[in-house]
Amino acid sequence: MDAFRRLPGVGKRSAERLVLHLLSAPEGEAHQLSEAIATARARITTCSQCRNLTETNPCGICTDSRRDASIICVVEQPAGAMAIEKGGMYRGLYHVLHGVLNPLEGVGPTELRLERLYTRLDGGTVEEVVVATNATAEGEATALYLSRQLGQRNVRVTRIAHGVPMGSGLEFSDEATLSHAMEGRTPLG
Amino acid sequence: MPQEKTEALVLRGVDYSETSRIITFLSPERGRLTCIAKGARRKNSPLAAILDTFNHVELIYYWKEGRGVHTLAEASLLHPFPGIKRDLERCSFGAVPLELASRTAHDNEPSRAFYRTLLHGLGRLEQWKGSARLHCAWQLARLLAAAGFAPELDHCVQCGGEIGHNPGFDLDGGAVCGQCTIERRCGWSQLDALKALFSATDQCPEVEHVDALFRMVRAYMIRQTETDYRSLRVLHDMFGS
């Protein structure tokens, strides 16, 4: 039970339920689960190019010739790349920072290992970098820092838009999001 | 559990569990106040944007005596300081006063002057057109003074006499006269600029020796509060010393 409780979102009761389920299920099911966890740990690594999680190195996205190699989207975490992939609209490459600049937590450019991103840009094929860090003070700081650093490398640096979620009413949006959305308004037609 | 309402500044936040965040605030009545914001990381939760670092907010929380982390009931945004967040220097240097506040303010202890000083300083930083490094030095000087760490700058901290010529600055207390022993001398113009920083209550004064002043205030803060500041290491990484 202690092993399960170490997992995020699993409390005492959930751990108890999971353990009881595994004990009452056929023996093979428990073995299958433990093997799957061990295999995932052994196989999944970070891509040497984009630092996304992958089973093959370089990852499937970096090696896919159908993708647009002239655009790199910079995200904070692998979950960000997964979310954009789910959207299905983006066909470029990614770069995962595994964090954001956060002076209060002691995370600076060194910890983000930005040299890997710079090396990719030095190849000359990248024309645009889309900074898709979160809309937080730390995400904004990271975007500003990247914009300054990448500006010297002759690439177009863009920031994803922030605003009201699709299908949501204005009355359900918070003040900060609304003011951001209002400032980032675009002309119609 | 009684509910309390206060205004506060968001000093920092860390993720907790799948959906929550633990936020550290500076409030006038309760000093450093730590609350769990349940569900703040859920999709569509308005709390995520409201509880962003630097934000000036109004909180309603459940207070329980003897507890280190209280439960946030509601939060609304008073001012998000967009002028700080959209400028790399301002938001990076602005993090140092937040870290000073988070490390020196005490839990459950009224910190009205300290709170007002930080809030006023952030408001000024938002409008500031000059060097963010200088503004940071001013904010740190004002916060140190509000926390009771103001240096003695009118008389020698070693002999109590007049400062005279060839003054120095002792990180243990303040100005040192030409006759007393000190490792490094700072000169009158730097000492005058330091005095201006510590005495300017309304806004950051336009003074010279920005880099030297920042280094002096930074070293004085580290010595007086006996703390290493992570934000200073990151600043060094980003902008050099």
Side-chain angles (χ1 to χ4, degrees):
Chain A
M1 284 219 288
D2 287 345
F4 276 109
R5 284 189 65 185
R6 280 187 215 133
L7 297 172
V10 179
K12 197 178 165 187
R13 279 192 189 168
S14 303
E16 204 174 271
R17 214 170 54 240
L18 291 168
V19 168
L20 288 174
H21 169 78
L22 286 174
L23 291 175
S24 62
E27 206 180 323
E29 198 174 310
H31 284 302
Q32 216 175 6
L33 178 67
S34 69
E35 267 174 40
I37 293 169
T39 311
R41 278 301 293 167
R43 280 200 202 156
I44 294 178
T45 181
T46 51
C47 172
S48 57
Q49 289 186 24
C50 69
R51 297 184 71 210
N52 202 353
L53 296 177
T54 176
E55 276 190 62
T56 55
N57 192 9
C59 70
I61 293 176
C62 287
T63 50
D64 187 346
S65 57
R66 290 166 301 175
R67 300 199 68 120
D68 185 352
S70 68
I71 306 180
I72 290 181
C73 178
V74 178
V75 291
E76 288 183 19
Q77 298 293 347
M82 286 180 202
I84 295 173
E85 279 300 288
K86 269 189 215 162
M89 292 295 289
Y90 178 72
R91 298 300 300 159
L93 305 180
Y94 291 96
H95 191 88
V96 184
L97 297 173
H98 292 275
V100 268
L101 290 180
N102 190 342
L104 288 157
E105 302 301 328
V107 182
T110 311
E111 284 72 21
L112 297 184
R113 291 192 260 169
L114 294 171
E115 317 77 47
R116 288 207 199 176
L117 175 62
Y118 303 155
T119 309
R120 295 179 76 187
L121 301 184
D122 290 341
T125 48
V126 180
E127 290 165 16
E128 181 177 352
V129 173
V130 184
V131 186
T133 49
N134 294 339
T136 58
E138 294 79 17
E140 287 296 325
T142 309
L144 291 166
Y145 184 79
L146 283 175
S147 155
R148 186 173 294 186
Q149 297 295 314
L150 304 183
Q152 305 159 357
R153 284 180 158 79
N154 203 25
V155 285
R156 184 168 169 244
V157 186
T158 54
R159 180 90 171 105
I160 53 162
H162 302 298
V164 184
M166 295 293 284
S168 170
L170 291 182
E171 66 273 31
F172 301 117
S173 296
D174 62 275
E175 308 92 308
T177 306
L178 277 177
S179 66
H180 219 114
M182 197 54 86
E183 283 171 24
R185 64 191 184 274
T186 50
L188 285 171
Chain B
M1 270 188 285
Q3 269 192 355
E4 292 187 358
K5 184 176 170 180
T6 184
E7 60 173 276
L9 285 162
V10 180
L11 300 181
R12 61 189 287 255
V14 288
D15 289 345
Y16 181 79
S17 78
E18 283 289 89
T19 55
S20 305
R21 269 176 81 73
I22 291 181
I23 311 288
T24 306
F25 300 97
L26 181 70
S27 68
E29 305 304 327
R30 292 284 187 191
R32 188 175 54 197
L33 174 70
T34 307
C35 291
I36 180 163
K38 291 182 179 171
R41 294 167 64 213
R42 278 210 181 97
K43 210 158 115 181
N44 299 334
S45 167
L47 281 178
I50 293 169
L51 300 176
D52 195 16
T53 317
F54 289 107
N55 281 0
H56 183 207
V57 293
E58 187 177 77
L59 311 173
I60 298 174
Y61 57 95
Y62 296 102
W63 173 265
K64 193 170 182 189
E65 201 64 49
R67 199 180 263 184
V69 180
H70 306 276
T71 305
L72 190 70
E74 272 180 61
S76 56
L77 188 63
L78 296 176
H79 186 55
F81 293 107
I84 295 177
K85 293 177 193 173
R86 284 177 207 156
D87 183 281
L88 182 61
E89 271 84 5
R90 282 184 212 158
C91 69
S92 307
F93 281 93
V96 190
L98 294 194
E99 189 175 3
L100 173 63
S102 126
R103 287 174 183 267
T104 54
H106 294 284
D107 291 341
N108 195 17
E109 201 173 274
S111 308
R112 292 178 201 98
F114 197 67
Y115 172 79
R116 273 199 307 273
T117 306
L118 182 59
L119 179 62
H120 180 77
L122 292 177
R124 289 297 186 195
L125 175 61
E126 198 174 26
Q127 312 296 330
W128 181 247
K129 302 282 182 231
S131 155
R133 192 182 292 262
L134 175 63
H135 202 278
C136 176
W138 172 67
Q139 272 189 277
L140 296 178
R142 294 304 307 153
L143 285 169
L144 286 167
F149 294 114
E152 168 60 63
L153 296 172
D154 293 322
H155 295 93
C156 174
V157 288
Q158 290 184 18
C159 68
E162 294 293 311
I163 302 296
H165 58 81
N166 198 20
F169 184 68
D170 184 348
L171 299 179
D172 283 326
V176 175
C177 71
Q179 275 74 49
C180 289
T181 315
I182 184 81
E183 206 173 298
R184 259 176 289 173
R185 299 279 158 191
C186 62
W188 259 112
S189 61
Q190 280 185 25
L191 194 63
D192 274 342
L194 195 63
K195 274 188 191 181
L197 277 191
F198 274 92
S199 59
T201 54
D202 185 44
Q203 59 184 343
C204 177
E206 295 273 7
V207 289
E208 291 181 345
H209 312 293
V210 172
D211 290 344
L213 278 179
F214 181 73
R215 281 196 296 270
M216 279 164 85
V217 175
R218 179 180 66 185
Y220 181 74
M221 173 179 76
I222 291 169
R223 178 73 65 88
Q224 291 294 317
T225 58
E226 297 177 331
T227 308
D228 271 331
Y229 290 83
R230 290 188 279 205
S231 53
L232 289 174
R233 191 184 55 73
V234 173
L235 280 185
H236 179 75
D237 205 5
M238 290 170 74
F239 305 106
S241 57

